[in-house]
Amino acid sequence: MRLVLATRNRGKLVELRRILDADPALPVVELCSATDVELPEVEEHGATFAENALLKARSATAATGLASLADDSGLVVDALQGDPGVRSARYAGAHGDDEANLRLVLERMRGVEDRRARFVCAAALVASDGREWVEEASVAGTLAHAPRGAGGFGYDPIFVPVGESRTTAEMPPAAKDAISHRGRAFRAIAAHLAQL
C-alpha cells in the first residue's frame, strides 16, 4: 500500500515509519513524504488540531490521488491559557523553528510554578475515494525548566510525561512511541488502513 504523509517534518516521517513498522498486524506500507511527491503548501488556519490535520490530508490526496495521512500536533500549556496549541510549529513566528519555539515557551514560563502541559495529536487519513477518518490522542505531563536530551524534536526536550522523570527527548524511541500523543493517534488511525 502506498500512502502519502503530508509533512515536510523529517522527525514526524521517521517517527511514523517506526510506529507503522512496529505493528505486525498492519499491511506493508510504502510511505512517501511531501519531499518525495509534489505537495502544495497548506495554510493551517483551522481552529483545532483535527481541522488542520484534515486540511493537510485532503490537500495531499487531491494533489496525488493517493490515500494520505497527516497530523497536527502541539503542546498545550495550562499556565499559557492553552498556548502554543495549534500554533506550536510557528509559535515564535517562523514555521518549524523548533529552537525558537522552545525558547519562547521557556521564557513565558519563567517563574511560573504551574508547569502542567500536554501534547495533543490529531491524525487524519483521507482515502482516494474521499472517505475520512480522524483520531485524537494526548499525553499529560509537566514542563522542565531547561531542555534535556538529544532525541525527538520540537518540544520533546522540555516535556516530562506523567510517571516519568525523563523528558521525551531523553527516552528511547520505542518507549516514547508507546506513550506519546503521536504514537497513540497514529496507532488508532492505522487501524483504518485495512479499509482502504
Side-chain angles (χ1 to χ4, degrees):
M1 180 185 303
R2 193 165 186 233
L3 290 175
V4 175
L5 178 60
T7 187
R8 288 178 173 79
N9 183 320
R10 181 158 170 68
K12 282 187 185 181
L13 183 63
V14 168
E15 200 168 285
L16 181 56
R17 279 191 175 136
R18 196 171 60 230
I19 291 164
L20 292 176
D21 289 346
D23 189 340
L26 291 177
V28 175
V29 173
E30 178 192 345
L31 203 56
C32 310
S33 73
T35 55
D36 299 321
V37 294
E38 290 293 322
L39 291 185
E41 288 289 335
V42 176
E43 184 184 342
E44 297 177 36
H45 55 75
T48 66
F49 293 110
E51 288 174 12
N52 284 332
L54 278 168
L55 284 170
K56 292 185 274 190
R58 287 171 181 155
S59 175
T61 296
T64 65
L66 298 170
S68 299
L69 285 167
D71 87 305
D72 194 40
S73 52
L75 180 69
V76 175
V77 180
D78 290 3
L80 299 179
Q81 291 71 51
D83 277 351
V86 294
R87 297 180 303 114
S88 289
R90 56 192 181 280
Y91 191 49
H95 192 281
D97 189 342
D98 289 352
E99 189 176 320
N101 292 332
L102 191 147
R103 196 169 47 244
L104 182 57
V105 166
L106 287 177
E107 283 172 18
R108 293 189 172 161
M109 289 298 291
R110 189 175 293 127
V112 176
E113 287 186 29
D114 180 3
R115 303 194 72 81
R116 290 174 298 159
R118 67 189 181 282
F119 269 138
V120 177
C121 177
L125 172 62
V126 174
S128 55
D129 63 8
R131 288 175 295 159
E132 299 178 342
W133 298 267
V134 177
E135 297 286 349
E136 293 188 56
S138 65
V139 60
T142 57
L143 297 182
H145 291 273
R148 300 192 322 251
F153 59 96
Y155 299 97
D156 282 341
I158 61 169
F159 185 79
V160 180
V162 167
E164 271 289 337
S165 58
R166 301 171 292 184
T167 68
T168 46
E170 294 175 302
M171 298 173 72
K176 176 190 166 187
D177 293 346
I179 65 165
S180 78
H181 57 309
R182 193 170 293 110
R184 290 173 176 171
F186 274 116
R187 279 190 296 275
I189 206 73
H192 301 291
L193 292 176
Q195 298 177 50
L196 296 180

